[in-house]
Amino acid sequence: MANREELAVIRGARAGRAEAQLALGRLYLFGSAGLPRSLPTALHWLDRAAQQGCAEAWNLIGNHIPVDLARNNSQPVAGWYERAYDGGLVRAGLAYAQLVLGAARAGRCAPAERTKALRALEDAARAGFPEAQWLLAREHGAAPPETDEPAVRAPAASPVGQRWLRQAADSGVGAAQFALLEQDWTACRWSAWLARALPLARALAGSDAAQDHAAARLAPDEVLLLSRCAQLAEANEAPHDVSQDELLRFWEIAAAEQDRHAQFALGLWCARMRVDGKRIPGSHGAANFKKAVRWLTQAGEQGLAEAWYALSRIYIKPEFSQRNVLEAQKYLERAAEMGYRDAQLECGNAAWRARRENENNDVRALFWLQKAAAQGCPKAAAALRKLAPRQPGAWADLDALMAGRDLAPHPLLAARLELAVAFGLSRAEALLLDIRNADRGHCLVIDIRASYGRSRRRLISVETAPERQLLDRVALVFESIDCGPGGPEGNYRQRLYRLRSLLPDTDGVGPGADDGNYSLAA
Protein backbone atom coordinates (compact mmCIF):
# COMPACT_ATOMS: atom_id res chain seq x y z
CA MET A 1 0.00 0.00 0.00
CA ALA A 2 1.35 3.43 -0.96
CA ASN A 3 2.61 5.60 1.89
CA ARG A 4 1.91 9.29 2.40
CA GLU A 5 4.80 10.50 0.25
CA GLU A 6 3.89 8.16 -2.61
CA LEU A 7 0.26 9.24 -2.48
CA ALA A 8 1.40 12.83 -2.86
CA VAL A 9 3.46 11.83 -5.92
CA ILE A 10 0.42 10.07 -7.40
CA ARG A 11 -1.75 13.13 -6.91
CA GLY A 12 0.90 15.34 -8.51
CA ALA A 13 1.27 13.01 -11.48
CA ARG A 14 -2.47 12.96 -12.03
CA ALA A 15 -2.46 16.75 -11.84
CA GLY A 16 -0.04 16.80 -14.81
CA ARG A 17 3.19 17.85 -13.13
CA ALA A 18 6.16 16.49 -15.09
CA GLU A 19 8.44 16.01 -12.08
CA ALA A 20 5.74 13.99 -10.29
CA GLN A 21 5.10 11.86 -13.38
CA LEU A 22 8.83 11.19 -13.65
CA ALA A 23 9.03 10.25 -9.98
CA LEU A 24 5.98 7.99 -10.20
CA GLY A 25 7.37 6.35 -13.32
CA ARG A 26 10.64 5.67 -11.51
CA LEU A 27 8.76 4.18 -8.54
CA TYR A 28 6.89 1.75 -10.78
CA LEU A 29 10.03 1.06 -12.80
CA PHE A 30 12.11 -0.15 -9.84
CA GLY A 31 9.40 -0.83 -7.27
CA SER A 32 9.14 0.48 -3.73
CA ALA A 33 7.90 -0.56 -0.34
CA GLY A 34 4.39 0.68 -1.12
CA LEU A 35 4.17 0.27 -4.91
CA PRO A 36 4.86 -2.95 -6.84
CA ARG A 37 7.19 -3.05 -9.82
CA SER A 38 5.11 -2.64 -13.01
CA LEU A 39 6.84 -1.89 -16.30
CA PRO A 40 3.62 -1.07 -18.24
CA THR A 41 2.58 1.45 -15.58
CA ALA A 42 6.10 2.85 -15.46
CA LEU A 43 6.08 3.32 -19.24
CA HIS A 44 2.73 5.11 -19.01
CA TRP A 45 3.98 7.75 -16.56
CA LEU A 46 7.42 8.11 -18.11
CA ASP A 47 5.79 8.62 -21.50
CA ARG A 48 3.62 11.41 -20.08
CA ALA A 49 6.66 13.04 -18.49
CA ALA A 50 8.64 12.72 -21.75
CA GLN A 51 5.81 14.44 -23.60
CA GLN A 52 6.48 17.46 -21.39
CA GLY A 53 10.14 17.56 -22.45
CA CYS A 54 11.68 15.61 -19.56
CA ALA A 55 14.98 14.21 -20.86
CA GLU A 56 15.45 11.92 -17.87
CA ALA A 57 12.12 10.26 -18.66
CA TRP A 58 13.09 9.19 -22.18
CA ASN A 59 16.53 8.15 -20.91
CA LEU A 60 14.83 5.85 -18.40
CA ILE A 61 12.61 4.49 -21.16
CA GLY A 62 15.62 3.86 -23.40
CA ASN A 63 17.62 2.13 -20.68
CA HIS A 64 14.98 0.07 -18.86
CA ILE A 65 11.81 -0.46 -20.92
CA PRO A 66 12.10 -3.65 -23.06
CA VAL A 67 11.33 -3.34 -26.74
CA ASP A 68 8.52 -5.94 -26.63
CA LEU A 69 6.59 -3.78 -24.20
CA ALA A 70 7.16 -0.74 -26.43
CA ARG A 71 5.78 -2.65 -29.43
CA ASN A 72 2.59 -3.50 -27.57
CA ASN A 73 2.09 -0.01 -26.15
CA SER A 74 -0.94 1.87 -27.43
CA GLN A 75 1.09 5.08 -27.83
CA PRO A 76 4.08 5.28 -30.23
CA VAL A 77 7.22 5.56 -28.10
CA ALA A 78 9.96 4.92 -30.70
CA GLY A 79 10.77 8.64 -30.58
CA TRP A 80 11.84 8.40 -26.93
CA TYR A 81 14.30 5.64 -27.76
CA GLU A 82 15.60 7.77 -30.62
CA ARG A 83 16.13 10.78 -28.32
CA ALA A 84 17.86 8.61 -25.74
CA TYR A 85 20.12 7.21 -28.45
CA ASP A 86 20.89 10.73 -29.69
CA GLY A 87 21.89 11.49 -26.11
CA GLY A 88 24.47 8.70 -26.16
CA LEU A 89 22.60 5.66 -24.78
CA VAL A 90 23.62 2.69 -26.93
CA ARG A 91 21.05 0.34 -25.38
CA ALA A 92 18.30 2.75 -26.38
CA GLY A 93 19.71 2.72 -29.92
CA LEU A 94 19.29 -1.06 -30.06
CA ALA A 95 15.63 -0.83 -29.06
CA TYR A 96 15.09 2.06 -31.50
CA ALA A 97 16.60 -0.02 -34.34
CA GLN A 98 14.40 -2.99 -33.50
CA LEU A 99 11.25 -0.88 -33.61
CA VAL A 100 12.17 0.91 -36.84
CA LEU A 101 13.38 -2.18 -38.70
CA GLY A 102 10.22 -4.01 -37.68
CA ALA A 103 8.19 -1.17 -39.17
CA ALA A 104 10.41 -1.23 -42.28
CA ARG A 105 9.61 -4.91 -42.90
CA ALA A 106 5.94 -3.98 -42.76
CA GLY A 107 6.52 -1.11 -45.22
CA ARG A 108 5.85 1.63 -42.66
CA CYS A 109 9.27 3.28 -42.51
CA ALA A 110 11.02 6.06 -44.42
CA PRO A 111 14.49 5.30 -45.92
CA ALA A 112 16.14 7.92 -43.70
CA GLU A 113 14.73 6.28 -40.57
CA ARG A 114 15.99 2.87 -41.67
CA THR A 115 19.47 4.26 -42.34
CA LYS A 116 19.60 5.80 -38.85
CA ALA A 117 18.30 2.56 -37.32
CA LEU A 118 21.08 0.55 -39.00
CA ARG A 119 23.65 3.02 -37.70
CA ALA A 120 22.24 2.64 -34.18
CA LEU A 121 22.34 -1.14 -34.57
CA GLU A 122 25.99 -1.06 -35.61
CA ASP A 123 26.85 1.12 -32.59
CA ALA A 124 25.14 -1.42 -30.30
CA ALA A 125 26.88 -4.33 -32.03
CA ARG A 126 30.30 -2.70 -31.61
CA ALA A 127 29.46 -2.09 -27.95
CA GLY A 128 29.08 -5.86 -27.53
CA PHE A 129 25.31 -6.37 -27.54
CA PRO A 130 24.84 -9.92 -28.93
CA GLU A 131 21.28 -9.26 -30.05
CA ALA A 132 22.46 -6.32 -32.15
CA GLN A 133 25.13 -8.48 -33.76
CA TRP A 134 22.52 -11.11 -34.61
CA LEU A 135 20.14 -8.52 -36.06
CA LEU A 136 22.92 -7.07 -38.21
CA ALA A 137 23.79 -10.53 -39.50
CA ARG A 138 20.18 -11.01 -40.58
CA GLU A 139 20.00 -7.58 -42.16
CA HIS A 140 23.09 -8.37 -44.24
CA GLY A 141 21.71 -11.73 -45.40
CA ALA A 142 23.85 -14.06 -43.28
CA ALA A 143 20.71 -15.64 -41.78
CA PRO A 144 17.03 -15.86 -42.76
CA PRO A 145 15.01 -12.77 -41.84
CA GLU A 146 12.49 -12.92 -39.05
CA THR A 147 9.21 -13.81 -40.74
CA ASP A 148 6.24 -16.11 -40.33
CA GLU A 149 6.33 -17.08 -44.01
CA PRO A 150 8.46 -20.21 -44.56
CA ALA A 151 8.89 -19.51 -48.27
CA VAL A 152 10.88 -16.31 -47.65
CA ARG A 153 14.60 -16.84 -48.20
CA ALA A 154 17.49 -14.78 -47.01
CA PRO A 155 19.38 -12.71 -49.58
CA ALA A 156 22.95 -13.60 -50.44
CA ALA A 157 25.19 -13.20 -47.39
CA SER A 158 27.81 -10.47 -47.48
CA PRO A 159 31.23 -10.62 -45.76
CA VAL A 160 29.97 -8.01 -43.30
CA GLY A 161 26.96 -10.19 -42.48
CA GLN A 162 29.20 -13.23 -41.98
CA ARG A 163 31.43 -11.27 -39.63
CA TRP A 164 28.49 -10.18 -37.48
CA LEU A 165 27.05 -13.70 -37.58
CA ARG A 166 30.27 -15.15 -36.19
CA GLN A 167 30.46 -12.48 -33.50
CA ALA A 168 26.86 -13.18 -32.48
CA ALA A 169 27.54 -16.93 -32.38
CA ASP A 170 30.69 -16.40 -30.31
CA SER A 171 28.65 -14.18 -27.95
CA GLY A 172 26.32 -17.09 -27.26
CA VAL A 173 23.28 -16.24 -29.41
CA GLY A 174 21.72 -19.65 -30.01
CA ALA A 175 19.99 -18.73 -33.27
CA ALA A 176 23.29 -17.39 -34.65
CA GLN A 177 25.13 -20.54 -33.61
CA PHE A 178 22.63 -22.76 -35.41
CA ALA A 179 22.61 -20.51 -38.49
CA LEU A 180 26.41 -20.75 -38.69
CA LEU A 181 26.25 -24.51 -38.17
CA GLU A 182 23.74 -24.84 -41.00
CA GLN A 183 26.06 -22.95 -43.33
CA ASP A 184 29.00 -25.21 -42.48
CA TRP A 185 26.86 -28.33 -42.85
CA THR A 186 25.51 -27.28 -46.23
CA ALA A 187 29.05 -26.51 -47.43
CA CYS A 188 30.32 -29.90 -46.08
CA ARG A 189 32.87 -28.20 -43.82
CA TRP A 190 32.83 -31.07 -41.36
CA SER A 191 35.78 -30.04 -39.19
CA ALA A 192 34.49 -26.48 -38.77
CA TRP A 193 31.01 -27.80 -38.06
CA LEU A 194 32.21 -30.26 -35.43
CA ALA A 195 34.46 -27.71 -33.74
CA ARG A 196 31.42 -25.59 -32.99
CA ALA A 197 28.80 -28.34 -32.67
CA LEU A 198 30.46 -30.87 -30.36
CA PRO A 199 30.63 -28.58 -27.30
CA LEU A 200 26.97 -27.69 -27.80
CA ALA A 201 26.01 -31.34 -28.25
CA ARG A 202 27.88 -32.39 -25.12
CA ALA A 203 26.22 -29.63 -23.15
CA LEU A 204 22.82 -30.77 -24.40
CA ALA A 205 23.53 -34.43 -23.66
CA GLY A 206 24.41 -33.53 -20.08
CA SER A 207 21.55 -31.08 -19.53
CA ASP A 208 18.45 -31.72 -17.47
CA ALA A 209 16.30 -31.60 -20.62
CA ALA A 210 18.14 -34.63 -21.94
CA GLN A 211 17.80 -36.66 -18.76
CA ASP A 212 14.07 -37.26 -19.14
CA HIS A 213 13.15 -38.88 -22.44
CA ALA A 214 9.46 -39.06 -21.56
CA ALA A 215 8.75 -35.56 -22.86
CA ALA A 216 10.26 -33.84 -25.88
CA ARG A 217 11.72 -30.65 -24.46
CA LEU A 218 14.61 -30.05 -26.81
CA ALA A 219 14.17 -27.62 -29.69
CA PRO A 220 14.18 -29.08 -33.23
CA ASP A 221 17.55 -27.45 -33.96
CA GLU A 222 19.04 -29.06 -30.87
CA VAL A 223 17.71 -32.49 -31.80
CA LEU A 224 19.12 -32.10 -35.32
CA LEU A 225 22.47 -31.07 -33.84
CA LEU A 226 22.71 -34.27 -31.78
CA SER A 227 21.66 -36.41 -34.74
CA ARG A 228 24.22 -34.86 -37.07
CA CYS A 229 27.01 -35.16 -34.51
CA ALA A 230 26.25 -38.87 -34.28
CA GLN A 231 26.20 -39.20 -38.07
CA LEU A 232 29.65 -37.62 -38.45
CA ALA A 233 31.06 -39.61 -35.55
CA GLU A 234 29.82 -42.83 -37.15
CA ALA A 235 31.39 -41.78 -40.47
CA ASN A 236 34.74 -41.24 -38.69
CA GLU A 237 34.63 -37.50 -39.39
CA ALA A 238 34.60 -36.60 -35.70
CA PRO A 239 37.68 -36.31 -33.45
CA HIS A 240 38.90 -39.52 -31.83
CA ASP A 241 37.82 -38.33 -28.38
CA VAL A 242 34.15 -39.03 -29.26
CA SER A 243 33.56 -42.37 -27.55
CA GLN A 244 31.05 -45.04 -28.52
CA ASP A 245 29.11 -44.34 -25.33
CA GLU A 246 28.89 -40.66 -26.22
CA LEU A 247 27.79 -41.51 -29.76
CA LEU A 248 25.04 -43.76 -28.40
CA ARG A 249 23.99 -41.02 -25.98
CA PHE A 250 23.51 -38.58 -28.87
CA TRP A 251 21.52 -41.19 -30.80
CA GLU A 252 19.32 -42.11 -27.86
CA ILE A 253 18.41 -38.53 -27.03
CA ALA A 254 17.70 -37.58 -30.64
CA ALA A 255 15.77 -40.81 -31.23
CA ALA A 256 13.64 -40.21 -28.15
CA GLU A 257 12.90 -36.75 -29.54
CA GLN A 258 11.57 -38.42 -32.73
CA ASP A 259 14.52 -37.72 -35.04
CA ARG A 260 14.12 -40.38 -37.71
CA HIS A 261 17.78 -40.54 -38.73
CA ALA A 262 18.81 -41.14 -35.12
CA GLN A 263 16.12 -43.81 -34.78
CA PHE A 264 17.42 -45.48 -37.93
CA ALA A 265 21.04 -45.39 -36.76
CA LEU A 266 20.10 -46.65 -33.31
CA GLY A 267 18.07 -49.50 -34.83
CA LEU A 268 21.02 -50.60 -36.96
CA TRP A 269 23.35 -50.43 -33.97
CA CYS A 270 20.98 -52.57 -31.88
CA ALA A 271 20.89 -55.13 -34.71
CA ARG A 272 24.71 -54.91 -35.09
CA MET A 273 24.26 -54.67 -38.84
CA ARG A 274 24.48 -52.38 -41.83
CA VAL A 275 21.44 -51.37 -43.84
CA ASP A 276 21.89 -54.31 -46.22
CA GLY A 277 21.70 -56.77 -43.32
CA LYS A 278 25.42 -57.64 -43.14
CA ARG A 279 26.98 -57.58 -39.69
CA ILE A 280 29.06 -54.52 -38.83
CA PRO A 281 32.75 -55.53 -39.01
CA GLY A 282 34.36 -55.63 -35.60
CA SER A 283 31.08 -55.23 -33.69
CA HIS A 284 30.86 -56.98 -30.34
CA GLY A 285 27.91 -58.28 -28.37
CA ALA A 286 24.69 -59.99 -29.33
CA ALA A 287 22.18 -58.25 -31.55
CA ASN A 288 18.96 -57.05 -29.94
CA PHE A 289 16.56 -57.50 -32.86
CA LYS A 290 13.46 -56.72 -30.80
CA LYS A 291 14.79 -53.28 -29.90
CA ALA A 292 16.11 -52.76 -33.43
CA VAL A 293 12.68 -53.50 -34.93
CA ARG A 294 11.09 -50.94 -32.61
CA TRP A 295 13.46 -48.12 -33.59
CA LEU A 296 13.47 -48.97 -37.30
CA THR A 297 9.68 -49.12 -37.38
CA GLN A 298 9.49 -45.64 -35.85
CA ALA A 299 11.97 -44.32 -38.40
CA GLY A 300 10.07 -45.95 -41.26
CA GLU A 301 6.76 -44.51 -40.08
CA GLN A 302 8.38 -41.07 -40.31
CA GLY A 303 9.12 -41.59 -44.00
CA LEU A 304 12.62 -43.10 -43.99
CA ALA A 305 12.60 -45.69 -46.77
CA GLU A 306 15.92 -47.27 -45.81
CA ALA A 307 14.45 -48.16 -42.40
CA TRP A 308 11.86 -50.40 -44.06
CA TYR A 309 14.61 -51.97 -46.18
CA ALA A 310 16.67 -52.71 -43.06
CA LEU A 311 13.59 -54.25 -41.44
CA SER A 312 13.15 -56.53 -44.43
CA ARG A 313 16.75 -57.72 -43.97
CA ILE A 314 16.10 -58.48 -40.29
CA TYR A 315 12.97 -60.51 -40.99
CA ILE A 316 14.83 -62.92 -43.30
CA LYS A 317 17.68 -63.54 -40.85
CA PRO A 318 17.70 -67.15 -39.63
CA GLU A 319 18.84 -66.04 -36.17
CA PHE A 320 15.82 -63.74 -35.74
CA SER A 321 13.28 -65.59 -33.59
CA GLN A 322 10.34 -63.99 -35.44
CA ARG A 323 11.68 -64.68 -38.94
CA ASN A 324 8.91 -64.16 -41.49
CA VAL A 325 9.54 -64.11 -45.24
CA LEU A 326 6.14 -62.61 -46.04
CA GLU A 327 6.73 -59.80 -43.56
CA ALA A 328 10.16 -59.20 -45.06
CA GLN A 329 8.66 -58.96 -48.54
CA LYS A 330 6.06 -56.46 -47.31
CA TYR A 331 8.72 -54.17 -45.86
CA LEU A 332 10.90 -54.59 -48.96
CA GLU A 333 8.09 -53.48 -51.25
CA ARG A 334 7.27 -50.57 -48.97
CA ALA A 335 10.86 -49.34 -49.19
CA ALA A 336 10.81 -49.78 -52.97
CA GLU A 337 7.57 -47.83 -53.29
CA MET A 338 9.15 -45.00 -51.28
CA GLY A 339 11.99 -44.84 -53.81
CA TYR A 340 14.83 -46.70 -52.08
CA ARG A 341 17.09 -47.90 -54.88
CA ASP A 342 18.47 -51.06 -53.31
CA ALA A 343 14.95 -52.20 -52.43
CA GLN A 344 13.81 -51.58 -56.00
CA LEU A 345 16.70 -53.68 -57.31
CA GLU A 346 15.90 -56.48 -54.88
CA CYS A 347 12.18 -56.37 -55.76
CA GLY A 348 13.05 -56.58 -59.45
CA ASN A 349 15.37 -59.55 -58.96
CA ALA A 350 12.85 -61.34 -56.73
CA ALA A 351 10.05 -60.87 -59.26
CA TRP A 352 12.25 -62.16 -62.08
CA ARG A 353 13.17 -65.27 -60.09
CA ALA A 354 9.46 -65.92 -59.48
CA ARG A 355 8.42 -65.61 -63.13
CA ARG A 356 7.79 -69.36 -63.41
CA GLU A 357 5.16 -69.07 -60.67
CA ASN A 358 3.43 -66.26 -62.55
CA GLU A 359 4.36 -65.35 -66.09
CA ASN A 360 3.50 -61.69 -65.52
CA ASN A 361 6.16 -61.39 -62.82
CA ASP A 362 8.61 -60.47 -65.57
CA VAL A 363 6.58 -57.27 -66.17
CA ARG A 364 6.77 -56.45 -62.47
CA ALA A 365 10.50 -57.20 -62.46
CA LEU A 366 11.05 -54.82 -65.35
CA PHE A 367 9.09 -52.08 -63.54
CA TRP A 368 11.30 -52.18 -60.43
CA LEU A 369 14.53 -52.53 -62.38
CA GLN A 370 13.61 -49.48 -64.45
CA LYS A 371 13.03 -47.52 -61.24
CA ALA A 372 16.40 -48.58 -59.84
CA ALA A 373 18.22 -47.90 -63.11
CA ALA A 374 16.70 -44.40 -63.25
CA GLN A 375 18.47 -43.73 -59.94
CA GLY A 376 21.81 -44.78 -61.37
CA CYS A 377 21.98 -48.41 -60.26
CA PRO A 378 24.48 -50.17 -62.61
CA LYS A 379 23.26 -53.65 -61.65
CA ALA A 380 19.69 -52.74 -62.58
CA ALA A 381 20.83 -51.23 -65.89
CA ALA A 382 22.78 -54.40 -66.73
CA ALA A 383 19.80 -56.58 -65.84
CA LEU A 384 17.52 -54.48 -68.05
CA ARG A 385 19.77 -55.04 -71.04
CA LYS A 386 19.41 -58.80 -70.54
CA LEU A 387 15.72 -58.88 -69.65
CA ALA A 388 14.39 -56.51 -72.30
CA PRO A 389 16.89 -56.25 -75.16
CA ARG A 390 16.06 -54.21 -78.21
CA GLN A 391 16.24 -55.93 -81.62
CA PRO A 392 16.75 -53.08 -84.08
CA GLY A 393 17.40 -55.47 -86.98
CA ALA A 394 14.26 -57.54 -86.51
CA TRP A 395 12.72 -55.97 -89.62
CA ALA A 396 15.61 -54.62 -91.63
CA ASP A 397 15.24 -51.44 -93.70
CA LEU A 398 11.55 -51.02 -92.84
CA ASP A 399 11.99 -47.30 -92.35
CA ALA A 400 13.49 -46.95 -95.82
CA LEU A 401 10.76 -49.11 -97.38
CA MET A 402 8.05 -46.85 -95.91
CA ALA A 403 9.65 -43.67 -97.29
CA GLY A 404 7.38 -41.96 -99.80
CA ARG A 405 4.49 -44.40 -99.28
CA ASP A 406 1.02 -43.00 -98.59
CA LEU A 407 -0.38 -45.13 -95.77
CA ALA A 408 -3.10 -42.68 -94.73
CA PRO A 409 -5.94 -44.84 -96.16
CA HIS A 410 -4.74 -47.68 -93.86
CA PRO A 411 -4.35 -46.08 -90.38
CA LEU A 412 -4.20 -49.40 -88.50
CA LEU A 413 -1.41 -50.80 -90.62
CA ALA A 414 0.42 -47.45 -90.57
CA ALA A 415 0.29 -47.43 -86.74
CA ARG A 416 1.64 -50.99 -86.56
CA LEU A 417 4.52 -50.17 -88.90
CA GLU A 418 5.35 -47.08 -86.86
CA LEU A 419 5.58 -49.24 -83.75
CA ALA A 420 7.79 -51.71 -85.59
CA VAL A 421 10.25 -48.96 -86.51
CA ALA A 422 10.28 -47.44 -83.01
CA PHE A 423 10.57 -50.66 -80.99
CA GLY A 424 12.35 -53.05 -83.36
CA LEU A 425 9.45 -55.45 -83.98
CA SER A 426 9.65 -58.26 -86.49
CA ARG A 427 7.07 -58.44 -89.28
CA ALA A 428 4.99 -61.08 -87.55
CA GLU A 429 5.11 -59.18 -84.23
CA ALA A 430 4.06 -55.94 -85.87
CA LEU A 431 1.12 -57.51 -87.72
CA LEU A 432 -0.20 -59.73 -84.89
CA LEU A 433 0.45 -57.69 -81.74
CA ASP A 434 -2.60 -56.93 -79.60
CA ILE A 435 -1.78 -53.28 -78.97
CA ARG A 436 -4.03 -52.67 -75.98
CA ASN A 437 -2.95 -55.77 -74.05
CA ALA A 438 0.72 -55.29 -74.92
CA ASP A 439 1.05 -51.81 -73.46
CA ARG A 440 1.82 -52.04 -69.72
CA GLY A 441 2.84 -48.43 -69.29
CA HIS A 442 6.53 -48.95 -68.61
CA CYS A 443 7.00 -51.69 -71.21
CA LEU A 444 5.51 -53.59 -74.14
CA VAL A 445 4.73 -57.28 -73.73
CA ILE A 446 5.38 -58.88 -77.12
CA ASP A 447 3.50 -62.17 -77.03
CA ILE A 448 2.06 -63.61 -80.27
CA ARG A 449 2.67 -67.28 -79.45
CA ALA A 450 -1.00 -68.17 -79.78
CA SER A 451 -0.98 -66.93 -83.38
CA TYR A 452 2.60 -67.50 -84.49
CA GLY A 453 4.20 -70.70 -83.32
CA ARG A 454 7.84 -69.76 -83.84
CA SER A 455 7.69 -66.63 -81.71
CA ARG A 456 8.56 -66.26 -78.04
CA ARG A 457 7.34 -63.91 -75.35
CA ARG A 458 9.62 -60.92 -74.78
CA LEU A 459 9.53 -57.47 -73.18
CA ILE A 460 10.58 -54.10 -74.56
CA SER A 461 11.18 -51.18 -72.22
CA VAL A 462 9.51 -47.85 -72.89
CA GLU A 463 12.53 -45.65 -72.33
CA THR A 464 11.78 -42.15 -73.59
CA ALA A 465 8.95 -39.64 -73.56
CA PRO A 466 8.55 -39.76 -77.39
CA GLU A 467 8.11 -43.54 -77.20
CA ARG A 468 5.45 -43.11 -74.52
CA GLN A 469 3.68 -40.48 -76.62
CA LEU A 470 3.79 -42.80 -79.65
CA LEU A 471 2.18 -45.62 -77.69
CA ASP A 472 -0.54 -43.31 -76.37
CA ARG A 473 -1.26 -42.12 -79.89
CA VAL A 474 -1.41 -45.66 -81.29
CA ALA A 475 -3.63 -46.74 -78.38
CA LEU A 476 -6.16 -44.11 -79.45
CA VAL A 477 -6.14 -45.53 -82.98
CA PHE A 478 -6.90 -49.05 -81.66
CA GLU A 479 -9.17 -47.86 -78.84
CA SER A 480 -12.32 -49.56 -80.11
CA ILE A 481 -10.70 -52.02 -82.52
CA ASP A 482 -10.72 -55.81 -82.13
CA CYS A 483 -7.10 -56.82 -82.80
CA GLY A 484 -8.01 -60.50 -83.21
CA PRO A 485 -8.74 -62.42 -86.44
CA GLY A 486 -12.41 -61.47 -86.18
CA GLY A 487 -11.62 -57.75 -86.23
CA PRO A 488 -11.47 -55.39 -89.21
CA GLU A 489 -7.82 -56.28 -89.91
CA GLY A 490 -8.70 -59.91 -90.58
CA ASN A 491 -6.43 -62.91 -89.98
CA TYR A 492 -2.69 -63.05 -90.46
CA ARG A 493 -2.88 -64.08 -94.13
CA GLN A 494 -5.10 -61.10 -94.89
CA ARG A 495 -2.85 -58.71 -92.98
CA LEU A 496 0.21 -60.06 -94.76
CA TYR A 497 -1.47 -59.72 -98.14
CA ARG A 498 -2.41 -56.10 -97.39
CA LEU A 499 1.16 -55.34 -96.31
CA ARG A 500 2.65 -56.86 -99.48
CA SER A 501 0.18 -54.94 -101.60
CA LEU A 502 1.21 -51.63 -100.07
CA LEU A 503 4.92 -52.42 -99.64
CA PRO A 504 5.86 -55.00 -102.32
CA ASP A 505 9.53 -54.82 -101.37
CA THR A 506 8.82 -56.38 -97.97
CA ASP A 507 8.24 -59.80 -99.48
CA GLY A 508 10.94 -62.11 -98.24
CA VAL A 509 12.59 -59.48 -96.00
CA GLY A 510 13.63 -59.99 -92.41
CA PRO A 511 13.41 -62.80 -89.90
CA GLY A 512 9.64 -62.91 -90.33
CA ALA A 513 9.82 -63.54 -94.04
CA ASP A 514 8.98 -67.24 -93.89
CA ASP A 515 5.48 -66.96 -92.55
CA GLY A 516 4.27 -70.45 -93.25
CA ASN A 517 3.81 -71.47 -89.61
CA TYR A 518 0.86 -69.62 -88.16
CA SER A 519 -2.33 -70.72 -86.44
CA LEU A 520 -4.81 -68.09 -87.60
CA ALA A 521 -7.18 -69.59 -90.16
CA ALA A 522 -6.83 -68.24 -93.68
Side-chain angles (χ1 to χ4, degrees):
M1 183 176 180
N3 57 31
R4 186 176 301 174
E5 291 80 6
E6 292 169 343
L7 288 174
V9 172
I10 293 173
R11 285 195 295 272
R14 290 174 177 171
R17 295 201 303 271
E19 68 277 6
Q21 292 169 343
L22 173 64
L24 185 57
R26 187 184 289 109
L27 287 173
Y28 278 112
L29 185 63
F30 301 109
S32 67
L35 293 176
R37 185 171 184 265
S38 174
L39 293 182
T41 309
L43 177 59
H44 170 76
W45 290 113
L46 290 175
D47 178 44
R48 294 186 61 178
Q51 291 176 20
Q52 299 192 58
C54 180
E56 189 176 352
W58 61 62
N59 285 336
L60 286 173
I61 291 175
N63 258 338
H64 299 287
I65 299 299
V67 68
D68 291 336
L69 181 58
R71 286 195 187 101
N72 298 327
N73 194 52
S74 58
Q75 298 295 328
V77 294
W80 308 136
Y81 289 99
E82 181 181 9
R83 292 194 183 188
Y85 166 65
D86 292 338
L89 293 179
V90 179
R91 184 185 296 274
L94 171 58
Y96 168 70
Q98 290 174 292
L99 291 173
V100 171
L101 293 176
R105 284 190 287 271
R108 302 191 306 269
C109 174
E113 291 179 327
R114 187 178 185 279
T115 301
K116 185 175 182 179
L118 288 175
R119 185 168 66 248
L121 200 60
E122 289 178 359
D123 291 341
R126 293 191 188 96
F129 286 90
E131 190 172 1
Q133 296 166 348
W134 170 234
L135 288 174
L136 271 178
R138 286 200 314 213
E139 287 296 325
H140 287 284
E146 187 177 10
T147 176
D148 294 332
E149 300 179 8
V152 175
R153 294 184 180 180
S158 64
V160 175
Q162 287 297 115
R163 177 168 59 86
W164 287 122
L165 178 63
R166 292 189 177 277
Q167 289 195 26
D170 293 338
S171 299
V173 179
Q177 291 173 336
F178 285 110
L180 197 58
L181 286 170
E182 188 62 32
Q183 289 181 1
D184 290 337
W185 182 271
T186 303
C188 300
R189 295 190 290 263
W190 309 130
S191 58
W193 191 91
L194 284 165
R196 189 175 293 275
L198 271 177
L200 296 175
R202 285 166 173 159
L204 287 172
S207 65
D208 293 336
Q211 302 301 322
D212 181 16
H213 292 174
R217 292 181 291 180
L218 294 180
D221 284 339
E222 295 171 336
V223 176
L224 185 61
L225 174 75
L226 291 170
S227 178
R228 286 176 170 178
C229 278
Q231 289 179 47
L232 291 183
E234 186 190 23
N236 297 322
E237 295 286 350
H240 296 296
D241 60 343
V242 179
S243 64
Q244 183 68 35
D245 291 340
E246 193 171 36
L247 174 64
L248 287 176
R249 177 69 173 158
F250 293 162
W251 272 336
E252 288 171 351
I253 297 172
E257 299 285 1
Q258 302 306 311
D259 181 85
R260 59 180 188 171
H261 296 287
Q263 292 169 339
F264 173 65
L266 193 57
L268 291 183
W269 186 86
C270 291
R272 301 295 194 273
M273 72 176 202
R274 298 186 305 218
V275 66
D276 59 359
K278 297 179 180 178
R279 188 173 178 87
I280 299 174
S283 60
H284 303 287
N288 188 338
F289 290 118
K290 184 177 180 180
K291 195 173 181 181
V293 167
R294 178 168 66 89
W295 285 121
L296 290 172
T297 301
Q298 290 186 37
E301 288 172 348
Q302 292 196 71
L304 207 59
E306 51 261 50
W308 296 121
Y309 181 66
L311 273 173
S312 74
R313 303 302 89 189
I314 288 178
Y315 272 92
I316 60 173
K317 283 183 173 292
E319 61 267 32
F320 183 36
S321 60
Q322 300 178 26
R323 185 178 187 272
N324 188 321
V325 176
L326 294 179
E327 198 76 3
Q329 185 64 26
K330 181 183 75 172
Y331 291 136
L332 181 66
E333 291 182 358
R334 188 175 300 179
E337 289 166 359
M338 294 174 68
Y340 192 62
R341 193 182 77 174
D342 291 352
Q344 292 170 341
L345 174 63
E346 183 61 31
C347 277
N349 290 335
W352 181 253
R353 289 192 296 267
R355 67 188 183 280
R356 288 185 175 84
E357 302 172 9
N358 185 343
E359 191 176 46
N360 284 322
N361 276 339
D362 58 353
V363 177
R364 183 172 178 79
L366 199 65
F367 172 79
W368 287 122
L369 291 173
Q370 283 180 335
K371 294 285 187 182
Q375 296 193 62
C377 179
K379 293 182 179 179
L384 280 175
R385 288 192 292 270
K386 294 179 180 179
L387 269 60
R390 290 292 181 98
Q391 297 179 0
W395 194 344
D397 300 325
L398 175 61
D399 202 7
L401 293 173
M402 291 173 57
R405 306 280 185 172
D406 183 15
L407 300 178
H410 306 277
L412 300 181
L413 180 59
R416 289 182 176 277
L417 295 178
E418 197 173 357
L419 285 182
V421 172
F423 293 97
L425 304 182
S426 69
R427 183 169 64 187
E429 290 172 342
L431 293 178
L432 294 173
L433 187 65
D434 187 340
I435 306 297
R436 288 173 300 179
N437 291 331
D439 186 4
R440 303 298 175 87
H442 63 285
C443 71
L444 279 176
V445 178
I446 310 300
D447 188 1
I448 60 171
R449 291 174 297 178
S451 306
Y452 195 76
R454 290 180 296 168
S455 68
R456 62 181 181 85
R457 175 189 170 100
R458 68 187 183 97
L459 305 181
I460 300 178
S461 294
V462 180
E463 298 174 349
T464 64
E467 290 178 352
R468 181 67 262 164
Q469 293 168 1
L470 170 62
L471 283 173
D472 293 339
R473 181 160 48 82
V474 171
L476 290 176
V477 175
F478 285 87
E479 186 174 12
S480 57
I481 301 297
D482 180 4
C483 294
E489 295 178 285
N491 58 31
Y492 184 42
R493 187 184 298 277
Q494 292 169 324
R495 299 180 194 193
L496 188 60
Y497 177 79
R498 187 180 302 111
L499 172 67
R500 289 170 174 168
S501 299
L502 295 171
L503 302 177
D505 295 335
T506 60
D507 194 20
V509 175
D514 182 9
D515 297 318
N517 187 7
Y518 55 87
S519 59
L520 285 177

